[in-house]
């Protein structure tokens, strides 16, 4: 299943996990069987193919969109679902 990885459009890390104050862009996708595996596969240290994209690893405050279209913010421990109404926008494409 395909999971889409989104980082803040302006490049600023959202480490405080503030919802609704950042615009995100799709930077990559990974084929995974779970949200946790998608996070793991979007780490440069563990996935040579992802590292070859020359983007940073997925981090706290980034968004992973699951195959059902639900958005999940990476938290310091785990994930929290982010309703579509909270995100100002998710820009698709690189």
């Amino acid at each position: 299943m395909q999971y889409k990885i989104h980082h803040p459009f302006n490049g600023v890390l959202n480490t405080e996990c503030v919802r609704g104050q950042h615009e995100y862009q799709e930077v990559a996708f990974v084929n995974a069987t779970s949200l946790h595996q998608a996070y793991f596969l979007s780490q440069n240290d563990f996935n040579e193919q992802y590292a070859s994209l020359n983007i940073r690893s997925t981090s706290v405050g980034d968004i992973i969109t699951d195959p059902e279209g639900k958005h999940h913010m990476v938290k310091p421990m785990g994930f929290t679902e982010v309703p579509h109404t909270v995100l100002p926008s998710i820009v698709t494409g690189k």
Side-chain angles (χ1 to χ4, degrees):
M1 296 182 290
Q2 190 176 82
Y3 289 78
K4 296 176 182 176
I5 309 299
H6 306 274
H7 293 172
F9 188 73
N10 60 7
V12 175
L13 291 174
N14 185 11
T15 56
E16 299 297 318
C17 299
V18 177
R19 298 188 321 182
Q21 292 186 2
H22 295 273
E23 290 186 1
Y24 288 81
Q25 65 179 338
E26 181 182 324
V27 295
F29 69 88
V30 294
N31 290 310
T33 58
S34 69
L35 190 58
H36 293 279
Q37 186 183 38
Y39 174 78
F40 180 80
L41 291 173
S42 62
Q43 301 301 304
N44 289 330
D45 292 341
F46 304 111
N47 185 343
E48 188 175 306
Q49 184 179 10
Y50 189 85
S52 73
L53 298 174
N54 293 320
I55 55 175
R56 65 172 173 75
S57 294
T58 298
S59 185
V60 170
D62 290 340
I63 302 287
I64 299 175
T65 303
D66 68 25
E68 296 176 2
K70 295 178 183 175
H71 305 299
H72 306 271
M73 182 174 284
V74 179
K75 301 290 277 191
M77 293 287 287
F79 308 91
T80 186
E81 189 174 336
V82 180
H84 290 277
T85 56
V86 174
L87 291 175
S89 68
I90 290 193
V91 181
T92 59
K94 292 185 194 177

